[in-house]
Amino acid sequence: MELHPFFWPDHKKLLFLKDASDRLEIEKPTAAIVTRYEKDEAGPKILQGRDWTKVLDKELVEDLGKYRKYNGATVRDLLRVIRNKSHHYRDLAPQVRKLLGTMPEGFLRYFLVKFPHLFIVTYAFIKRECAREPAFQSYFAGQESR
């Protein structure tokens, strides 16, 4: 029996968010799946009308602009930050690494404390929309997609 995602270990939760980011990133911003995620699901429940760059610590936000532009109004870009910063964790300035905490526990906790609904809303959306896709089958093995 598969554990409820709330009980997944931190490394699996982080991997799931990175996989979700990769899935949403391949789509155009106007694609139906992105629109459903941003407008119907993630935006209202996760961001609640906030710009996520105003929620993150200043040191992290300043580090973001060095490599790519992010839109603080989209959860898709927040997921991309999580993906990119986890992949390049060792390259981060020591003060940013300290802020984010250890990998994966502290790192994941940093984002989930600031955005408590991020993981479960993204999980529910991906389960409904993408569970049968090869990249997500291992997360939903033995579960019916409703």
Side-chain angles (χ1 to χ4, degrees), residues 41-85:
E41 299 283 332
K45 295 175 183 170
I46 296 168
L47 296 182
Q48 301 173 354
R50 301 174 297 174
D51 177 328
W52 57 258
T53 64
K54 307 291 188 230
V55 178
L56 300 179
D57 288 272
K58 180 183 170 191
E59 297 86 353
L60 177 57
V61 173
E62 287 173 356
D63 184 75
L64 297 179
K66 294 178 184 176
Y67 306 102
R68 148 186 190 149
K69 297 229 184 252
Y70 293 96
N71 180 349
T74 69
V75 182
R76 185 171 85 149
D77 276 13
L78 175 60
L79 287 175
R80 205 66 187 167
V81 165
I82 293 169
R83 180 208 176 275
N84 290 346
K85 294 307 171 191

Side-chain angles (χ1 to χ4, degrees), residues 107-140:
F107 183 91
L108 181 65
R109 189 176 328 114
Y110 174 85
F111 289 99
L112 296 185
V113 164
K114 294 186 179 295
F115 306 98
H117 303 291
L118 176 66
F119 176 74
I120 204 65
V121 168
T122 301
Y123 172 86
F125 181 82
I126 293 294
K127 182 178 182 184
R128 187 176 61 251
E129 299 285 334
C130 307
R132 290 193 168 93
E133 295 179 13
F136 294 103
Q137 287 179 348
S138 67
Y139 297 110
F140 304 109

Side-chain angles (χ1 to χ4, degrees), residues 11-67:
H11 71 273
K12 185 174 180 178
K13 289 179 182 178
L14 183 57
L15 183 60
F16 178 82
L17 290 174
K18 292 190 299 187
D19 286 342
S21 173
D22 287 344
R23 174 60 181 87
L24 294 168
E25 185 73 13
I26 64 170
E27 302 288 344
K28 292 183 180 188
T30 57
I33 191 169
V34 175
T35 300
R36 283 192 303 275
Y37 181 69
E38 292 292 347
K39 304 283 188 247
D40 300 334
E41 299 283 332
K45 295 175 183 170
I46 296 168
L47 296 182
Q48 301 173 354
R50 301 174 297 174
D51 177 328
W52 57 258
T53 64
K54 307 291 188 230
V55 178
L56 300 179
D57 288 272
K58 180 183 170 191
E59 297 86 353
L60 177 57
V61 173
E62 287 173 356
D63 184 75
L64 297 179
K66 294 178 184 176
Y67 306 102

